[in-house]
Amino acid sequence: MRWLRERRVALAALSLFVLLAGDAVRYTLSWWGWGAVVVALLACWVVVAVRHRVDLRTVPSGVVLFLAICVASFAWSQYPSASALGIPATVATVFAAVVMAKTITFEQFVRALGVALRWILGLSLLFELFVALIIRGPLLPLWVSYDEPIPNAYYWSQGHLFTGERIQGIVGNANLLGVVALMGMMVFAVQAVDHTVTAAAGWGWFAAATVSFTLARSATMVVALAVVLFALAVILIARRVSSRVRREVYAAAFVIGSTLVALFWTFRGQALGLLERSDDLTGRLDIWDSVWQLASERPILGWGWVSYWAPWVEPFDDLVVIDGVTYLQAHNAFIDVWLQLGLVGLGAFVALIVVTSLRCVAWSIDRPLGDAPNSAAARTLPTLLMVMLLVQSLAESRILVEAGLLLLIYFSTASKSRNQPPPFTASIPLTPRRSRRASPDNR
């Protein structure tokens, strides 16, 4: 486990684990325990930033603008106590992502992400096996006390490993497990193809991720997988043609993609039926309608940034309540940003998404000088992960919090460094200068 000997890679892996499996930490250690872990990780990233003199002035302007609007919204927030919690959490996540992008190479980032995903998926399958065989029934999170009747959404696991129903894993949510599984399928396949891990490890964990993906049965991630495969095909074709022909490839991809989206929308009833989902997108249409009406009351600057909705303050305490469950997001990142930051913040968020996506596409297709010759597969990951995040953003608001936000800011920062001299090959040696020759990352 070479990553354990590389402190920043180990810190990145632990940070990714905690942010990808936040509910697992909260269900095990309580919110206070989770908060202590997050504060400790943030302190470590502050130390890394200070020791290596990370220049925060080079943070992408899109990141700075969006974050500045989030912070400034405290001045007009309709729930200042909740914003006082949400804004620092957002700033801390952005800070960690920027420092991560500036102090570890992309190859090291992929290794750290792979480690975090392996732990989450491995523990999820073992956890579901334990609940199915030992508990033999639904399992509630630790440190909670709910009044009867308890909604199904509150259970950590329903124990459905052998029943044919969807499983939730340690993340406590089938959709989130689907996200982790799809990320794992991409990362493990890339590592196997690029020979950064053994074939047995790469394809073995790919199989585990595929099993988890199948058992989670997330409709959003099934759609995301289709879009990811389409994007991968476009990348592979664009790599093989000249710059002039690429424009035609992109135009054809846009036409084909738009046609497929139109067909999906036209026959959405049949498509959703195949995905075992209702015509109202599992209640999302009602959620969007409620949020849209509220956002329309303050359309320019919004109600104030809070990231996760705070269920103890208005208007979130009764904005969306379905089957006894109070929802903590709009289930669409763009509507959520409009609600919290208005059209001003939505414009900044869309600009950040567009610029980051275009840079990731350039990164994936044009090999920057200094990249290792065996990194061809790994360079598809920035675009493919961004595609997955964007598809998820249409049905979930996770790109605004925890791992979703960290990945967005990481790719925004790293892709800017990639496409500007000197190339992002990075950077900061992992060992003291006197022993630099012995470091495999500096050979």
Side-chain angles (χ1 to χ4, degrees), residues 136-150:
R136 296 186 179 182
L139 176 67
L140 284 170
L142 307 178
W143 311 102
V144 297
S145 177
Y146 297 129
D147 295 329
E148 297 284 352
I150 302 174

Side-chain angles (χ1 to χ4, degrees), residues 4-69:
L4 282 174
R5 298 193 297 270
E6 301 170 4
R7 286 172 293 180
R8 286 192 300 279
V9 178
L11 177 60
L14 182 57
S15 300
L16 288 164
F17 177 91
V18 170
L19 294 183
L20 283 167
D23 282 337
V25 180
R26 289 186 284 269
Y27 291 169
T28 306
L29 303 179
S30 79
W31 275 91
W32 292 106
W34 174 83
V37 172
V38 169
V39 169
L41 290 174
L42 177 61
C44 291
W45 285 114
V46 170
V47 171
V48 170
V50 172
R51 288 189 60 185
H52 299 289
R53 299 179 181 178
V54 173
D55 188 0
L56 297 179
R57 294 173 299 178
T58 60
V59 175
S61 56
V63 174
V64 174
L65 177 61
F66 178 70
L67 188 61
I69 295 173

Side-chain angles (χ1 to χ4, degrees), residues 91-106:
V91 172
T93 305
V94 170
F95 173 81
V98 169
V99 176
M100 190 182 297
K102 289 182 172 293
T103 56
I104 64 174
T105 67
F106 180 65

Side-chain angles (χ1 to χ4, degrees), residues 202-406:
W203 294 119
W205 279 106
F206 176 84
T210 303
V211 169
S212 300
F213 184 85
T214 304
L215 294 175
R217 291 189 4 229
S218 168
T220 303
M221 287 302 102
V222 170
V223 175
L225 175 59
V227 180
V228 163
L229 292 175
F230 179 76
L232 177 60
V234 174
I235 291 173
L236 296 179
I237 294 172
R239 283 182 175 182
R240 294 177 175 271
V241 300
S242 64
S243 299
R244 181 182 60 82
V245 178
R246 283 178 189 171
R247 299 190 186 95
E248 300 175 5
V249 172
Y250 298 149
F254 177 79
V255 171
I256 294 173
S258 300
T259 302
L260 292 174
V261 170
L263 288 172
F264 179 86
W265 184 253
T266 302
F267 300 100
R268 60 186 179 277
Q270 296 89 326
L272 291 171
L274 291 174
L275 295 172
E276 300 179 351
R277 295 297 181 270
S278 59
D279 290 344
D280 67 347
L281 302 177
T282 320
R284 283 176 173 80
L285 294 183
D286 291 335
I287 296 173
W288 296 342
D289 182 63
S290 299
V291 176
W292 188 280
Q293 292 182 35
L294 184 61
S296 299
E297 297 180 17
R298 302 176 62 87
I300 306 301
L301 294 177
W303 289 72
W305 185 253
V306 68
S307 67
Y308 276 125
W309 295 356
W312 62 86
V313 300
E314 294 183 356
F316 303 122
D317 54 349
D318 60 356
L319 178 58
V320 179
V321 181
I322 301 176
D323 295 331
V325 178
T326 302
Y327 281 69
L328 305 182
Q329 56 161 314
H331 280 278
N332 181 291
F334 300 94
I335 297 177
D336 221 332
V337 172
W338 181 36
L339 170 68
Q340 299 184 45
L341 298 178
L343 293 175
V344 173
L346 180 59
F349 179 68
V350 171
L352 173 61
I353 290 285
V354 171
V355 172
T356 301
S357 299
L358 292 176
R359 284 176 178 161
C360 285
V361 170
W363 182 357
S364 294
I365 294 175
D366 299 312
R367 177 182 167 189
L369 181 65
D371 262 17
N374 67 338
S375 66
R379 287 190 295 109
T380 65
L381 278 177
T383 299
L384 300 185
L385 288 172
M386 279 299 301
V387 166
M388 186 209 72
L389 287 174
L390 291 178
V391 174
Q392 183 193 26
S393 297
L394 300 177
E396 305 277 348
S397 301
R398 295 284 178 171
I399 199 172
L400 304 178
V401 297
E402 298 191 28
L405 181 61
L406 183 137

Side-chain angles (χ1 to χ4, degrees), residues 126-186:
L126 290 175
F127 172 71
E128 289 291 348
L129 184 64
F130 171 80
V131 175
L133 295 180
I134 306 301
I135 303 298
R136 296 186 179 182
L139 176 67
L140 284 170
L142 307 178
W143 311 102
V144 297
S145 177
Y146 297 129
D147 295 329
E148 297 284 352
I150 302 174
N152 289 335
Y154 287 0
Y155 285 97
W156 191 354
S157 171
Q158 296 283 346
H160 286 324
L161 183 60
F162 301 119
T163 66
E165 299 293 328
R166 304 170 69 192
I167 69 168
Q168 299 162 239
I170 64 169
V171 295
N173 183 291
N175 291 328
L176 295 184
L177 181 60
V179 172
V180 173
L182 180 55
M183 291 176 64
M185 292 164 65
M186 291 187 281

